[in-house]
Each structure stands twice: as C-alpha cells, then as structure tokens.
Amino acid sequence: MWRPSAYDAGMPARPDDSPQIIPYLYYEDATKALDFLVEAFGFEVKSAFRDENGDVLTAQLRTGDGVVMMGPGMDEFGTRGVKDTDWATTRMFVYVDDVDAHYERARAAGARIVSEPAMHFSDNKIYVAGDSGRQQWIFAEPTGAAAEGERHA
C-alpha cells in the first residue's frame, strides 16, 4: 500500500515541458521493456535511473510532446510489472506521422501485432501492438476530417 515518504515531500514542481497527466507503466523486466519501446516504437529516453547492476528503476520516455514513465514497480507503492499474457491491462493512444512506416518499424523489432494498419471509424488509420507488460499501444495517423483538426469524440 502506498504511503507518503520523504521522497514525496521533496518532489519539485511540474517542469514546464511536462504534460499534466503522465501514464506510468510497469514491466516485469523494465530494462528490456525500455530498450524495446525505444527500438520498436521510436521513443526517446528523457531520463533513466538505474541500480548498481544497470537495471532500470524508473525511466521517462518521450515521443513528440507525449511522455510515458515506466519501471518495474516498487513494493512500497504496491506496484509491480506482471508476466505477459493475452490480456491487456492498458491501452495507450499515440498519434504518429506515418502509421504504415511506424507499423513496419514495430513489426521488424518484434512487436506483438494485435491488429494491422486499417481505417478506424474515427477517421484515423490505426494499428495496435502489444508489449511485454501487457500494455497495448494504439498508433494512429489522422486522415480526412481528423487530419484537418476536426477530431471526433
């Protein structure tokens, strides 16, 4: 169960370049997951804190103006990465410039493809890929009205 700690009391204010909401994803092997997210999906590592063995304790990844935090979880917070199964625990929606090229990159890096690129009812061309933490990623390229700024709810 999470309890406030000295770490929480010393947290700095939100940096100007950070979104107000940042998803935090947990992986059984956070080091392997970080490498995969960079290679397959093109994320950039903004920061990564590692233990004495080089294993990721927590990391912040960026894509465009989006941010995702990730790590293995911590007992003191009641969080933990779980083994890969067929069920997703989370789906993240990410806009990309070229969904077909992004799909090819992810597939080549060994991403588990849930659905191949196809038009979606929301005027987006999307594909869905899974990762080792049971998260699924929806990558979307706006087309038609959505590409012109008329996104539908």
Side-chain angles (χ1 to χ4, degrees):
M1 179 61 94
W2 179 84
R3 290 184 272 297
S5 67
Y7 173 77
D8 300 309
M11 290 288 288
R14 176 171 57 99
D16 291 338
D17 65 343
S18 288
Q20 185 173 358
I21 297 174
I22 301 172
Y24 203 117
L25 309 176
Y26 299 101
Y27 297 90
E28 187 173 46
D29 185 338
T31 304
K32 183 177 176 182
L34 180 137
D35 293 341
F36 174 80
L37 294 172
V38 169
E39 181 183 351
F41 299 153
F43 285 96
E44 297 175 17
V45 178
K46 181 177 180 186
S47 64
F49 296 97
R50 298 173 185 265
D51 66 13
E52 61 278 355
N53 298 318
D55 293 329
V56 171
L57 298 173
T58 186
Q60 194 173 103
L61 308 175
R62 286 193 167 271
T63 182
D65 61 358
V67 176
V68 175
M69 294 179 73
M70 54 86 66
M74 297 174 65
D75 289 345
E76 70 183 77
F77 294 125
T79 56
R80 179 173 296 156
V82 295
K83 291 183 188 255
D84 186 16
T85 72
D86 292 336
W87 293 95
T89 58
T90 307
R91 273 194 165 178
M92 309 302 288
F93 191 94
V94 181
Y95 282 110
V96 296
D97 292 330
D98 182 340
V99 79
D100 293 315
H102 197 277
Y103 163 80
E104 290 299 332
R105 174 186 181 152
R107 191 172 61 79
R112 184 178 60 234
I113 303 301
V114 176
S115 66
E116 296 188 2
M119 289 304 299
H120 192 260
F121 69 89
S122 64
D123 288 335
N124 289 307
K125 185 174 185 181
I126 70 166
Y127 82 94
V128 181
D131 68 25
S132 65
R134 296 191 332 178
Q135 280 77 233
Q136 289 184 358
W137 298 82
I138 303 169
F139 293 99
E141 177 183 347
T143 62
E148 297 168 12
E150 301 175 19
R151 300 207 196 285
H152 305 287

